[in-house]
Amino acid sequence: MTKESSPGTARAVAHANIALAKYWGKSERGDNLTAVPSLSLTLDALTTRSQVSFDASLKSDEVILGGKTLGGRELTRVTELLDRVRKAAGESRFARVDSINNFPTAAGLASSASGFAALAVAARAAAGLPASDKDASKLARQSSASAARSIFEGFVELLEDTDSAEPVAPSSHFDVCMLVAIVQQERKDVSSTGGMEQTRLTSPYYRGWLEAAPPLFREIKQALLARDFERLAWGMERSTLLMHASMFGADPPIVYFKPTSVELIHAIKNRRAGGHPEAFTLDAGPNVKVLTLASHAAKTEEFLLRVPGVTRVIVCRPGPRAALLSLDGPLSEARRTDAAP
Ligand code: DP6
């Protein structure tokens, strides 16, 4: 038996994604279904690699992220995913999970998206479940809704009250870049899960967000399919600000922005008015992501690096789908086997 086919162990890689049309809020139907449709771009430069080994000698699941053993809620989230896999596969062993992000964790850089997508693909394969994008996307979504989108390459949608994400257009569809301007690397105070629940329960603007998000999602999708950068820029910024406005209305308020985030919002707005094809978006954190045409990325990067408070810029292109990795060598260097999850 070759090492690759040894039962109980598998590795996978998945890439982070950034929403062009945002998801914020859970459906009343439960199961971590989303209340609004969302549309994202998978990013090539931000990856999580994950190895899952079911092992009869373990007394409980062990989860290591970036060399650190997880406990508490972080561990429970992983264990819940593993429980679903064990149930589906008739697997009774606990698992050892080793994951590495190549970017800062939990600072609004979609680490849960790439993390749970890689984990879902690796865990299903390690348990011997058949390759299925639909099932891997559903499994990832049940842990973190945005993770459902990281199963697929390029431009991806997750409709409201829907189990799995679906591809909208491949990476080659639109030659854009997303530049991630890091203004803070530390972990955020309010998790996205907690923040959206607080918004739902206490913000008078949450109702407005629920009404505005679906037509805006359709606008953004049409703009993307038409490769209409101006319209896409307008829609993505509007989706971003409507989502954050709903958080400002929560009690206590949720404000992820830092001074540099606000500086960048103004600067990008002015630059677009001056002819630069650039648009901003922010998620549950202060880092600013700037969408631009690939032909303009070097100019955008040069600008962002000059802004005081920006400590690092990561230039991302539309990225590939999640995939299994070979079991040879260290996890950080393992190559894609290009088998579907
Ligand atoms: C602001 O997927 O992190 O990034 O489902 O509770 O894990 P959970 O939330 P998560 O929320 C992401 C919200 C967002 C917008 C988006 O990615 O659509």
Side-chain angles (χ1 to χ4, degrees):
M1 188 180 286
T2 66
K3 213 177 167 197
E4 275 76 10
S5 65
S6 68
T9 298
R11 288 176 173 178
V13 62
H15 299 74
N17 70 77
I18 297 296
L20 310 177
K22 303 293 178 187
Y23 137 64
W24 192 253
K26 317 276 186 203
S27 157
E28 281 166 12
R29 290 173 54 191
D31 194 29
N32 210 37
L33 289 159
T34 65
V36 296
S38 59
L39 174 63
S40 65
L41 171 59
T42 300
L43 305 179
D44 68 344
L46 304 179
T47 64
T48 302
R49 284 154 182 264
S50 204
Q51 173 166 318
V52 176
S53 305
F54 289 101
D55 181 340
S57 71
L58 293 172
K59 300 272 177 292
S60 62
D61 292 322
E62 277 178 21
V63 182
I64 297 166
L65 173 60
K68 234 188 73 194
T69 302
L70 299 188
R73 181 66 198 135
E74 287 177 319
L75 172 64
T76 309
R77 278 182 94 176
V78 173
T79 297
E80 284 168 359
L81 185 150
L82 294 170
D83 284 342
R84 289 189 180 100
V85 170
R86 278 188 280 257
K87 194 167 170 212
E91 170 65 68
S92 57
R93 293 171 293 178
F94 289 109
R96 183 175 300 106
V97 177
D98 201 355
S99 284
I100 324 171
N101 289 336
N102 72 342
F103 59 93
T105 303
L109 283 189
S111 56
S112 69
S114 53
F116 283 108
L119 178 66
V121 173
R124 281 180 55 85
L129 289 170
S132 159
D133 284 346
K134 211 173 158 42
D135 291 347
S137 180
K138 176 180 176 183
L139 180 65
R141 181 200 48 75
Q142 287 171 312
S143 293
S144 185
S146 57
R149 303 181 308 226
S150 277
I151 297 297
F152 300 100
E153 71 159 305
F155 302 89
V156 184
E157 70 184 9
L158 175 62
L159 299 180
E160 70 274 34
D161 282 324
T162 303
D163 268 335
S164 309
E166 295 278 350
V168 168
S171 295
S172 58
H173 169 72
F174 200 10
D175 206 5
V176 290
C177 280
M178 187 73 89
L179 286 86
V180 180
I182 310 259
V183 307
Q184 178 179 297
Q185 303 236 19
E186 295 91 62
R187 297 180 81 80
K188 56 199 180 195
D189 306 332
V190 183
S191 71
S192 41
T193 311
M196 62 181 81
E197 190 56 4
Q198 195 170 311
T199 307
R200 184 179 75 82
L201 293 173
T202 64
S203 175
Y205 302 150
Y206 183 64
R207 185 180 288 272
W209 161 248
L210 292 184
E211 270 169 30
L216 192 50
F217 161 83
R218 289 191 286 275
E219 277 277 326
I220 290 169
K221 185 172 171 180
Q222 277 173 15
L224 168 70
L225 292 174
R227 300 187 188 85
D228 182 340
F229 187 87
E230 267 300 314
R231 219 167 121 213
L232 183 58
W234 169 87
M236 185 178 77
E237 291 184 351
R238 187 158 171 74
S239 176
T240 302
L241 293 177
L242 284 169
M243 178 183 79
H244 282 276
S246 76
M247 302 181 201
F248 292 167
D251 185 17
I254 302 162
V255 183
Y256 286 113
F257 295 1
K258 296 282 179 197
T260 308
S261 323
V262 180
E263 290 279 334
L264 284 170
I265 289 173
H266 288 290
I268 296 297
K269 184 168 166 277
N270 290 337
R271 281 171 64 84
R272 191 153 84 256
H276 294 275
E278 294 168 350
F280 64 81
T281 185
L282 290 93
D283 295 291
N287 298 315
V288 179
K289 295 98 182 185
V290 181
L291 184 71
T292 187
L293 298 173
S295 56
H296 197 270
K299 286 202 181 93
T300 306
E301 183 183 18
E302 199 187 304
F303 157 70
L304 290 172
L305 285 169
R306 283 202 317 266
V307 175
V310 172
T311 55
R312 192 178 156 199
V313 176
I314 306 171
V315 181
C316 304
R317 299 186 66 96
R321 52 166 302 123
L324 288 169
L325 295 172
S326 80
L327 291 176
D328 296 326
L331 179 61
S332 58
E333 287 163 25
R335 291 173 185 281
R336 299 166 69 95
T337 61
D338 278 316

Coordinates of all heavy atoms in Angstrom, one line a residue, residues 17-19 21-24 26 32 38 77 112 141 143-147 149 192-193 196 243 247 282-284, ligand 1:
N17 N -11.4 33.5 0.8 CA -12.2 34.3 -0.1 C -12.7 35.6 0.5 O -12.8 35.6 1.7 CB -13.4 33.4 -0.7 CG -14.5 33.2 0.4 OD1 -15.3 34.1 0.7 ND2 -14.5 32.0 1.0
I18 N -12.9 36.6 -0.3 CA -13.4 37.8 0.2 C -14.7 38.1 -0.6 O -14.8 37.9 -1.8 CB -12.4 39.0 -0.1 CG1 -11.1 38.8 0.6 CG2 -13.0 40.4 0.2 CD1 -11.2 38.8 2.1
A19 N -15.8 38.4 0.2 CA -17.1 38.7 -0.4 C -17.1 40.0 -1.1 O -16.7 41.0 -0.6 CB -18.2 38.6 0.7
A21 N -20.2 40.6 -2.5 CA -21.6 40.9 -1.9 C -21.6 40.1 -0.6 O -21.4 38.9 -0.6 CB -22.7 40.3 -2.8
K22 N -21.8 40.9 0.5 CA -21.5 40.3 1.8 C -22.7 39.5 2.4 O -23.8 39.7 2.1 CB -21.3 41.5 2.8 CG -20.2 42.5 2.4 CD -18.9 41.8 2.5 CE -17.8 42.7 2.1 NZ -16.5 42.0 2.0
Y23 N -22.2 38.5 3.2 CA -23.2 37.8 4.1 C -23.0 38.3 5.5 O -21.9 38.5 6.0 CB -22.8 36.3 4.0 CG -22.8 35.5 5.3 CD1 -24.0 35.3 6.0 CD2 -21.7 34.9 5.8 CE1 -24.0 34.6 7.2 CE2 -21.6 34.1 6.9 CZ -22.8 34.0 7.7 OH -22.8 33.3 8.8
W24 N -24.1 38.6 6.1 CA -24.0 39.0 7.6 C -25.4 38.6 8.2 O -26.4 39.3 7.8 CB -23.7 40.5 7.7 CG -23.4 40.9 9.1 CD1 -24.1 41.6 10.0 CD2 -22.1 40.7 9.8 NE1 -23.5 41.8 11.2 CE2 -22.2 41.2 11.1 CE3 -21.0 40.0 9.5 CZ2 -21.2 41.2 12.0 CZ3 -19.9 39.9 10.4 CH2 -20.1 40.5 11.7
K26 N -27.6 35.1 10.2 CA -28.0 33.7 10.0 C -29.5 33.6 9.7 O -30.3 34.4 10.2 CB -27.8 32.8 11.3 CG -26.5 33.1 12.0 CD -25.3 32.3 11.4 CE -24.1 32.4 12.3 NZ -22.9 32.2 11.5
N32 N -26.7 27.1 10.7 CA -25.8 28.0 10.2 C -26.1 28.4 8.7 O -25.2 28.8 8.0 CB -24.3 27.5 10.3 CG -23.3 28.6 10.5 OD1 -23.6 29.7 11.1 ND2 -22.2 28.5 9.8
S38 N -24.7 35.7 -0.9 CA -23.4 36.4 -1.0 C -22.7 35.9 -2.2 O -23.0 34.8 -2.7 CB -22.6 36.1 0.3 OG -22.4 34.7 0.5
R77 N -15.5 24.0 17.6 CA -15.9 24.2 16.2 C -15.3 23.1 15.3 O -16.0 22.6 14.4 CB -15.5 25.5 15.7 CG -16.4 26.6 16.2 CD -16.0 28.0 15.6 NE -16.6 28.3 14.4 CZ -16.5 29.4 13.7 NH1 -15.7 30.4 14.2 NH2 -17.1 29.7 12.6
S112 N -11.2 31.7 8.8 CA -12.2 30.6 9.0 C -12.7 30.0 7.7 O -12.9 28.8 7.6 CB -13.4 31.0 9.9 OG -14.2 31.9 9.2
R141 N -19.8 24.9 5.3 CA -20.8 25.9 5.7 C -21.4 25.8 7.1 O -21.6 26.7 7.8 CB -21.9 26.0 4.6 CG -22.9 27.1 5.0 CD -24.3 26.9 4.3 NE -24.9 25.6 4.5 CZ -25.4 25.1 5.6 NH1 -25.5 25.8 6.7 NH2 -25.9 23.9 5.6
S143 N -20.0 24.9 9.6 CA -19.0 25.4 10.6 C -18.8 26.9 10.5 O -18.7 27.6 11.5 CB -17.7 24.7 10.5 OG -17.8 23.3 10.8
S144 N -18.7 27.3 9.2 CA -18.5 28.8 9.0 C -19.0 29.0 7.6 O -18.5 28.5 6.6 CB -17.0 29.1 9.1 OG -16.8 30.5 8.9
A145 N -20.1 29.9 7.5 CA -20.8 29.9 6.2 C -19.9 30.4 5.1 O -20.0 29.9 4.0 CB -22.0 30.8 6.4
S146 N -19.0 31.3 5.3 CA -18.2 31.8 4.2 C -17.2 30.7 3.7 O -16.8 30.7 2.6 CB -17.3 33.0 4.7 OG -16.6 32.7 5.8
A147 N -17.0 29.7 4.5 CA -16.1 28.6 4.1 C -16.7 27.8 3.0 O -16.0 27.2 2.2 CB -15.8 27.7 5.3
R149 N -17.9 28.8 0.4 CA -17.4 29.4 -0.9 C -16.0 29.0 -1.3 O -15.6 29.1 -2.5 CB -17.6 30.9 -0.9 CG -19.1 31.3 -0.5 CD -19.3 32.9 -0.5 NE -18.3 33.5 0.3 CZ -18.5 34.5 1.2 NH1 -19.8 34.9 1.4 NH2 -17.6 35.0 1.9
S192 N -16.9 37.1 14.0 CA -18.0 37.4 13.1 C -19.3 36.7 13.5 O -20.4 37.3 13.5 CB -17.6 37.1 11.7 OG -16.9 35.9 11.6
T193 N -19.2 35.5 14.1 CA -20.3 34.8 14.5 C -21.1 35.5 15.6 O -22.3 35.8 15.6 CB -20.0 33.4 15.1 OG1 -19.1 32.7 14.1 CG2 -21.2 32.5 15.4
M196 N -22.5 39.0 14.3 CA -23.7 39.1 13.5 C -25.0 38.7 14.3 O -26.1 39.2 14.1 CB -23.6 38.2 12.2 CG -23.4 36.7 12.4 SD -23.2 35.9 10.7 CE -21.6 36.3 10.3
M243 N -23.6 46.7 5.4 CA -23.3 45.7 6.4 C -22.7 46.3 7.7 O -23.2 46.0 8.8 CB -22.3 44.6 5.9 CG -21.9 43.6 6.9 SD -20.7 42.4 6.3 CE -19.2 43.3 6.4
M247 N -24.0 47.0 11.8 CA -23.3 46.7 13.0 C -23.2 47.9 13.9 O -23.2 47.8 15.1 CB -21.8 46.3 12.7 CG -21.7 45.1 11.8 SD -19.9 44.8 11.5 CE -20.0 43.9 10.0
L282 N -14.3 45.9 3.5 CA -13.9 45.5 4.8 C -14.8 44.4 5.3 O -16.0 44.5 5.1 CB -13.9 46.6 5.8 CG -12.8 47.7 5.6 CD1 -13.4 48.9 4.8 CD2 -12.4 48.3 6.9
D283 N -14.3 43.4 6.1 CA -15.1 42.4 6.6 C -15.1 42.6 8.2 O -15.1 43.7 8.6 CB -14.5 41.0 6.2 CG -14.7 40.9 4.7 OD1 -15.9 40.8 4.2 OD2 -13.7 41.0 3.9
A284 N -15.1 41.5 8.9 CA -15.2 41.6 10.4 C -13.9 41.9 10.9 O -13.3 41.1 11.7 CB -15.9 40.4 10.9
Ligands
DP6_1 C1 -18.0 39.7 7.1 O1 -18.4 33.0 7.7 O2 -16.9 34.1 9.4 O3 -16.7 38.0 6.2 O4 -20.7 31.6 9.6 O5 -20.5 32.6 11.8 O6 -18.5 31.5 10.8 P1 -19.8 32.3 10.5 O7 -19.3 33.6 9.9 P2 -18.3 33.9 8.8 O8 -18.8 35.4 8.4 C2 -18.2 36.1 7.3 C3 -18.8 37.4 7.2 C4 -18.1 38.4 6.4 C5 -18.8 38.6 5.0 C6 -18.7 37.4 4.1 O9 -17.6 36.8 4.0 O10 -19.7 37.2 3.3

